[in-house]
Structure formats: structure tokens, C-alpha cells
Amino acid sequence: MTKNEPRTKDHAPGTKDQGPRTTLWSGRFDTAPDAAAFEFGASFRFDRRLFDDDVTGSLAWTRALARADVISRDDARNIEEALIEILEQGRANPDFIAGPDEDVHSFVERVLVERLGDAGRRLHTGRSRNEQVSVDLRLYLRRRIPALQQAVAALVEALALQASKAGDSLMPAYTHFRPAQPVLVAHFFLAHVAPLRRDFERLAAARAEADALPLGSGAVAGTSYTIDVEKLARDLGFSRVVANSIDASSDRDFAVSFLYACALTMVHLSRLAEDLIIFCGDEHRFFDLSDAVSTGSSMMPQKKNPDPLELVRGKSGRSIGHLVALLTAIKGLPSGYNKDLQEDKECVFDAEDTLAGSLAVVRSVVGGLTLNRERAESAASGLLLATDVADYLVGRGVPFRRAHEIVGALVRNLHGEGRDFESLSLDEWRAASALFDEDVVRRVSSRASAAAKKTPQSTAPAAVSARLAEVQGWLHGL
Ligand code: ARG
């Protein structure tokens, strides 16, 4: 047996107990790996999700090796044909992507060698799994992030539709979770659109960060073959090549950025979920949840629970956990590849699945909401118009701080008597300040309060319509 031939032990029909059949590094070792240690280190269980990207990367590497005259044109053609066949087989039948292999890279290479013999054994020339796993994950994120962005946009669309259906309806806005000021219901829905728009851009930024070719870095020092990395980058659709091979072999910043984008999007979904849990609850009932996204209680027949929203709120913790897990895993790593980095993949995949599932369910919930206009509007009146009363006095020349005091005293009395501004007679207004006139009754209303706002980000109906139009235009242009 020559040194380069895989040892028989590695090809013995393996059961779990006997250990694995195939590793890419058995030449150095006398004994088969300990089955439990091998299982512990193996990543095929989860990195099979990179199958497509691994084959794509290998196809391009084959062409790069041929261009550099490292392998013959014949070998290159055979390898390419076999890899395409393997790719098609894996796409057609996911069960094909299985075996006792350590990881997806070992799997693809094993199947290739089984089909081609020595030509297949030439594929890994000048290349390391350290850069291979990086190129795979970069390709993966590049092709998967757009689907998440689309799901973000679909939720934005559902929110915009609710904003448009709400027309000029009013509801209270809160600070410190106490009723603060009247706002348009549309303004509330658009308040949840704004962070999602930023999330969309954050996902785009994570994708742009992943968009660099690490191949050519070798295990850590680069490769000794004259690989045209610029051409290889173009071949794989990367817009640039990494700057430094040592850095590239352990750079997972792009994965961290992706996890950050996912975690923050989940935080935004969680806050939307919380608002809807409250506003659909019996104490508020500004909105009703559709039955289709509600659940009942096994014991209390009256219950209509917002389980999907609670789960989204709960899952945001898990998503933040993935970000912290990867940051923690890399923070003490010495330069160059370390196996700790294998921990990146389950974080990335689960963050992706968690976000995709949450976006879809929140979109259904938002799509099924019905507005209880009367309840929402009646909650938007009363003492929360106090700022507008103060502004009325400011309009008559009273310094704001003084107006605040006058209205504060008025509110104190009304609150004690269980009344609000609407019940005040003109004499009572005048008792608070002689500057109040008959028009105060007209000026101090929820609708007037919203209409009086002047800035483009405010709840003024014209401003809200303009924002809504901008959002619809954005959706249209996607
Ligand atoms: N499964 C490994 C990972 O996910 C692939 C790279 C392995 N490289 C190595 N030198 N063991 O990081």
C-alpha cells in the first residue's frame, strides 16, 4: 500500500461501533479514530446543508487547477462531469447526501474518488478544507439571504396594507406604557415597518460581507500553485478576493454579521409581537386576532391565545443566543483555523430557520388582524390631550413651562373627579386660564391633535400618507 492510498481500515464496511470508514487525513495515523471522538467532531449531520455550495466551489476549483495546468484538461473534464452528476443526484434525492463521512467536503470527495479513481484524488491539490468551508458558507449565505429579505418585504407589505386599510383611524401611542398622545393607526403599523426596512439593509450588508473569495488561502499561508484567484472569484460570482490568507482561514465576521442581522430582526419581530399581544388582549382590544392564528386553552373555554406571537417573542432569545455563541466561540482564538469555528454552522442554520419561520407567521398574524376602530379611538381621547391643551396656551403667548403647570393643575383636578377635558364648561376652562376661548373645544380633540403635527415623521395624516406611499413605492421597486 502506498502512502497515498487510503488504508483498508478506513474503507472497512463500518458500523458506528467500528468507527467511520472515511477520513481525509488517515495517512498520518496508526489506528482508526475513536468512534465517539469521531462522532463528536463530525459535522456531516448539519453541514450536508452546504452540499450544493461545496460542489459549486469544487467545480470552480477544478477549472482553476486546469487553467494553472496543475491537472490535465481530460482530468478536469472528467472531474467536472462527475461533480455535476453528483450535484444533480444530491438535488434530486437528498437521501443521497449521507454516509459515514466526517463532513460534506469528505463526502463529495469520497463519492468523486469512488467514481473516478485517481482523477478524483487530484481535486484537492493546493486546497484546504479550511478555505473550502469558508467558501461554502459564503456561497450559502449569498444564495439564501435574498429569501429572508423577501420574507421581510412580505411582512412590510402586510403592515402597509393594514396601514392603508386603517385610513384615518386613531389610537393612543404610549410612553412608559402609559397612554401618551393620539396617533393614526396607520402610523403605528408604519412604526413597525421602519425597523424592518433597516433589517432588510442589514441583511444586504451581511450578504455583501460574505461576498469575498477565500480560495487561494490554502490551509493558512496561501497556495503554491499559480491559481488566478481573480478569475476564480468571477467564476464563482464573488466581487472580490480576501486580503490575507491567515485572516481568511478563520474569518467568520460575515457569519457574525448575518447572526446580528437575524437577531436584531427577531428583536423587532418580538417587539411587534408584544404590541399585538397587548393590543389584541381583552383590556385593549384595538385589534382582533384571526382565529386561524390563535389557540385555545385545554381548560378555560373562553381563552383565545396568541401562541404564535408568544413563540416569536420567545425565539428572539434563541436568535440572540446564536449571535453571542459565535462571538464567544471566536473571541479567544489564535490566528488561523481552529476547529472551534465549526460551531458557526448550526448557529447560522438555526438563526436562518428561526427567522424564516417567524417572519412567515408574523406576516399571517398581521394579515389577519381586524381593527376595532371605536375601541381604538375612544382610548385615544381624554386626558392624553393634555399636551394639546398646553400648546393651545402657548399659541396665546403663554411660555410652555407655565402652560404645562396650568394644564397640570387642571389634569390633577379632572383626574380626581374622574372627568376629562370634554366635560369642561367654558367657565371651568376660564377658571384655569382666562386665555381659553370657545374654540378650545374644537381645538382639543384627538383628530385635531394628530392633524396639528407638522413634521414629516409625525402622525399628521398628510405625513403618514406620504410615508405610506414611500413604503409602497419601495415594495413596488423590489
Ligand atoms: N467541518 C469543518 C468546519 O466546519 C471543516 C473544516 C475542517 N478543517 C480542518 N482543518 N479540520 O470548520
Side-chain angles (χ1 to χ4, degrees):
M1 191 167 63
T2 67
K3 193 163 181 351
N4 290 333
E5 285 296 311
R7 297 187 176 204
T8 329
K9 66 177 160 50
D10 293 323
H11 283 267
T15 65
K16 263 195 175 170
D17 297 331
Q18 289 169 304
R21 282 185 295 186
T22 305
T23 68
L24 297 174
W25 35 261
S26 58
R28 161 73 177 76
F29 297 94
D30 283 335
T31 54
D34 173 80
F38 181 85
E39 276 303 310
F40 184 69
S43 53
F44 195 24
R45 184 170 44 83
F46 49 87
D47 70 13
R48 58 196 298 284
R49 199 152 154 168
L50 298 174
F51 168 76
D52 230 271
D53 311 285
D54 196 72
V55 179
T56 303
S58 287
L59 279 165
W61 185 248
T62 306
R63 292 189 283 271
L65 287 175
R67 279 194 298 270
D69 289 327
V70 178
I71 59 173
S72 70
R73 299 278 150 178
D74 268 358
D75 276 349
R77 191 172 359 93
N78 290 333
I79 296 172
E80 280 199 70
E81 276 171 18
L83 283 174
I84 288 167
E85 208 178 273
I86 291 168
L87 183 59
E88 280 165 2
Q89 227 173 320
R91 280 179 178 169
N93 172 24
D95 291 343
F96 166 70
I97 312 165
D101 309 274
E102 185 183 13
D103 52 30
V104 68
H105 329 293
S106 315
F107 165 76
V108 172
E109 196 172 320
R110 171 175 64 80
V111 178
L112 184 73
V113 171
E114 277 167 11
R115 291 182 188 190
L116 293 184
D118 271 348
R121 292 192 181 91
R122 294 206 160 90
L123 169 65
H124 207 55
T125 314
R127 185 178 70 169
S128 154
R129 272 186 302 165
N130 301 349
E131 50 182 344
Q132 202 180 346
V133 71
S134 165
V135 84
D136 287 7
L137 196 56
R138 288 167 182 273
L139 287 170
Y140 179 84
L141 287 174
R142 222 182 55 190
R143 77 182 161 87
R144 302 284 292 197
I145 287 176
L148 291 175
Q149 291 180 286
Q150 262 172 34
V152 169
L155 174 56
V156 167
E157 191 177 17
L159 289 162
L161 193 63
Q162 285 290 359
S164 133
K165 283 202 294 195
D168 64 353
S169 316
L170 297 164
M171 66 183 280
Y174 293 77
T175 67
H176 310 268
F177 197 49
R178 304 285 184 272
Q181 293 187 304
V183 290
L184 263 64
V185 171
H187 199 49
F188 162 74
F189 282 115
L190 293 177
H192 285 287
V193 165
L196 290 167
R197 292 278 295 276
R198 297 193 291 272
D199 295 329
F200 187 95
E201 294 309 323
R202 238 183 308 275
L203 285 165
R207 186 168 185 268
E209 201 174 342
D211 181 20
L213 175 81
L215 293 179
S217 299
V220 67
T223 189
S224 352
Y225 301 89
T226 51
I227 301 293
D228 182 344
V229 285
E230 292 295 343
K231 188 157 176 52
L232 179 54
R234 279 198 300 281
D235 193 5
L236 282 170
F238 286 110
S239 67
R240 63 188 194 282
V241 178
V242 296
N244 178 294
S245 65
I246 305 175
D247 169 56
S249 64
S250 64
D251 170 20
R252 292 295 180 276
D253 293 2
F254 62 94
V256 170
S257 294
F258 173 71
L259 293 176
Y260 171 56
C262 291
L264 194 46
T265 309
M266 284 301 297
V267 165
H268 295 144
L269 295 184
S270 179
R271 294 189 64 187
L272 170 56
E274 174 67 358
D275 270 357
L276 294 180
I277 288 167
I278 291 168
F279 294 154
C280 295
D282 288 332
E283 292 82 355
H284 287 78
R285 284 216 43 223
F286 300 163
F287 308 104
D288 280 324
L289 284 176
S290 85
D291 284 358
V293 294
S294 308
T295 45
S297 155
S298 61
M299 183 185 166
M300 300 164 285
Q302 86 283 9
K303 290 299 287 289
K304 181 172 167 184
N305 294 332
D307 283 26
L309 295 173
E310 294 166 67
L311 267 175
V312 166
R313 198 175 52 188
K315 282 176 191 291
S316 62
R318 164 179 177 156
S319 189
I320 293 165
H322 291 318
L323 170 63
V324 176
L326 186 57
L327 282 171
T328 312
I330 62 179
K331 87 169 179 60
L333 292 187
S335 294
Y337 177 84
N338 298 274
K339 183 84 166 185
D340 316 45
L341 293 170
Q342 181 165 290
E343 289 295 306
D344 60 357
K345 277 168 286 297
E346 285 166 293
C347 293
V348 164
F349 298 151
D350 189 69
E352 180 195 2
D353 292 345
T354 300
L355 180 56
S358 302
L359 284 165
V361 81
V362 175
R363 182 199 179 186
S364 302
V365 170
V366 169
L369 289 174
T370 45
L371 170 66
N372 297 319
R373 182 170 175 148
E374 269 172 35
R375 272 192 79 97
E377 295 208 332
S378 77
S381 63
L383 294 178
L384 84 177
L385 298 173
T387 314
D388 302 284
V389 179
D391 282 337
Y392 177 97
L393 291 177
V394 169
R396 308 254 143 152
V398 181
F400 178 74
R401 193 48 62 214
R402 180 82 199 105
H404 191 284
E405 273 168 34
I406 295 169
V407 180
L410 192 55
V411 166
R412 183 158 18 93
N413 292 338
L414 287 172
H415 194 261
E417 294 161 10
R419 300 167 60 194
D420 63 30
F421 297 117
E422 272 175 35
S423 68
L424 285 172
S425 66
L426 187 58
D427 285 346
E428 286 174 302
W429 279 112
R430 290 228 162 111
S433 163
L435 293 169
F436 284 118
D437 250 323
E438 270 139 23
D439 65 338
V440 70
V441 178
R442 179 171 47 77
R443 295 268 305 279
V444 175
S445 78
S446 312
R447 206 156 297 285
S449 169
K453 300 295 177 289
K454 296 283 189 284
T455 47
Q457 68 268 47
S458 74
T459 199
V464 173
S465 296
R467 295 315 301 175
L468 178 56
E470 189 277 330
V471 170
Q472 285 161 340
W474 177 75
L475 284 167
H476 200 71
L478 287 180

